[in-house]
Amino acid sequence: MQVVKTAQDVRGLRWADPTLTWGLVPTMGALHEGHLSLVRRARAENDRVGVSIFVNPIQFNRQDDLDAYPRDLERDAELLAAEGVDLIWTPSNTEMYPPDFQTYVSVETMTAGLEGAARPGHFRGVTTVVAKLFNVFQPTRAYFGQKDAQQAAVIRQMVRDLAFNLDIIVCPIVREPDGLAMSSRNVRLGPEARQAALVLFRALNAARSAWENGCRDGDRLRDTMRAVIAAEPLARLDYVSAAHPVTLQEIEGETEQVLLSMAVFIGDVRLIDNMVLKTGAVE
Ligand code: PAF
């Protein structure tokens, strides 16, 4: 496994043998089982696997959130070596954003709501860095988690709009045995908050039960999730949504498919979770 910093080194390794397929897993480090599930899928589907680790400052709209983001490169590298990763790319801030940097990629309509509304500028930061990672790395396939459902939908849209020559693979959410979606932020939950954090999955499951009992109405699904969150004293709701899984438009009236999603503060830790429901199927 090679660990490199510069775009030039990445290109040298990636194109050493142009016949090989490469899977790229873009990350911000602090790796957990969710990331490793992406790495394993990339390992199974490509000749070579690269992982980028870069805590992207321009996708954080709060300095304290950026400062608190966990970083542990040594541990990340050990985990990735054990998964048979070929290349780790850890660019510096100045490699990604030299002092005269002034070009941004922005996906418009579908970034207005949900995480986009709660975190102004977030998706512009994500799509800009991901476009640059794709441009330098030129992977055959890139892997993202369904946990960040809006991010996955926005990146798919960017790839279509700008005709990037790669496949986007979105992998299922990985959960702890009790249902909490894995996240780098979970390490910041104390024991009481960790227990309270289960309310997100509980709310999604309540909406799923309603769906299974025939409820197809956007408002009723949102109300069901809101009621469960409201009953948890340590939880403060940021938003709940029942939206179309591709366009991310909120469902008004009835639907055959829905992306249920939410962001909830447990103390000062903001957690997100989601679930896709389709008539006749649950993802
Ligand atoms: O999902 C993440 O970890 C980040 O948003 C990503 C895709 C690596 C871009 O910085």
Side-chain angles (χ1 to χ4, degrees), residues 9-31:
D9 287 343
V10 171
R11 289 201 165 112
L13 290 164
R14 196 271 174 251
W15 293 110
D17 179 349
T19 64
L20 298 180
T21 59
W22 277 82
L24 172 66
V25 183
T27 80
M28 299 203 299
L31 303 179

Side-chain angles (χ1 to χ4, degrees), residues 26-28 35 54 56 59 69 126 129-130 144 148 151 155:
T27 80
M28 299 203 299
H35 298 107
F54 178 61
N56 176 32
Q59 72 184 72
Y69 203 84
V126 170
V129 81
V130 170
F144 294 89
D148 294 301
Q151 170 172 281
I155 288 169

